[in-house]
Amino acid sequence: MSHLYETDGAAIYRQSFATIRSEANLSRFNPIEERVVCRMIHAAGFVPLADSVHFSPDFATTARAALHAGAPILCDVRMVSEGITRKRLPANNAIICTLQDERVPALAAQIHNTRSAAAIALWEEHLPGAIVAIGNAPTALFHLLNLLQDPSFPRPAAIIGCPVGFVGAAESKQALWETAPVPCMVVEGRLGGSAMTVAAINALACDIE
């Protein structure tokens, strides 16, 4: 017996987002935030995610403007950097992930931290006005927040803080939310991950759902 299923990709997309909007509580979001949250829910297949996503008041407009101005996107892992849809980017934005840089292992040993945290040290020249997209490593987010305590350290335009996991993920996002050194968004608690982070970038980059 043959299985019957929807085969039109565009129809699948339309139905998916219609379902998300009919089931999720999106009333507290502005139009840009709503688009971001819908894409994140779509990536996770988890409608209750909407209750865990939080934006600082100026995040959406700041991040969107930075992308349109050509800001680079700094990613903690290649799952994030490879997942971003290049054709959605408004200004052929550079996508940078330094985790595989040959200098990282020595830096990690030097600072007694993870490779993910050490890779942040190689962002400094790219940071001014950049979009930071952290979707995996709590240590990367914590280390960045510590660096940003120095007023002279370069400031990104905005930070997407969505590290996932059971050790440090919730705490690192809480620290970002409480200190908010720049406009930011977080997925509170243990939830997060590269797919959600990529979805947020893709939504901010382009109006087309």
Side-chain angles (χ1 to χ4, degrees), residues 12-68:
I12 292 170
Y13 231 61
R14 288 193 301 271
Q15 292 175 32
S16 295
F17 283 96
T19 299
I20 290 167
R21 285 193 162 86
S22 70
E23 295 184 6
N25 181 4
L26 304 170
S27 60
R28 64 187 176 92
F29 302 117
N30 68 38
I32 301 174
E33 293 169 349
E34 178 184 313
R35 189 164 60 250
V36 171
V37 173
C38 284
R39 286 198 68 91
M40 293 174 75
I41 290 171
H42 184 254
F46 186 57
V47 170
L49 177 67
D51 297 330
S52 300
V53 182
H54 302 282
F55 300 88
S56 64
D58 49 353
F59 169 83
T61 53
T62 299
R64 182 176 167 78
L67 287 172
H68 280 263

Side-chain angles (χ1 to χ4, degrees), residues 26 28 32 45 48 50 58 66 80 97 116 118 125 128 131 157 166 181 195 202 206:
L26 304 170
R28 64 187 176 92
I32 301 174
D58 49 353
V80 174
C97 178
S116 296
E125 65 179 294
I131 302 297
F166 298 91
N202 287 339
C206 182

Side-chain angles (χ1 to χ4, degrees), residues 85-109:
T85 305
R86 269 62 176 175
K87 67 181 180 180
R88 296 182 69 94
L89 296 175
N92 195 28
N93 307 69
I95 301 173
I96 298 167
C97 178
T98 55
L99 187 58
Q100 274 69 47
D101 190 287
E102 63 183 11
R103 295 169 288 178
V104 165
L107 282 170

Side-chain angles (χ1 to χ4, degrees), residues 75-84 97-100 194 198:
C75 309
D76 64 328
V77 291
R78 287 189 64 186
M79 285 185 70
V80 174
S81 63
E82 294 301 315
I84 296 168
C97 178
T98 55
L99 187 58
Q100 274 69 47
S194 298
V198 166

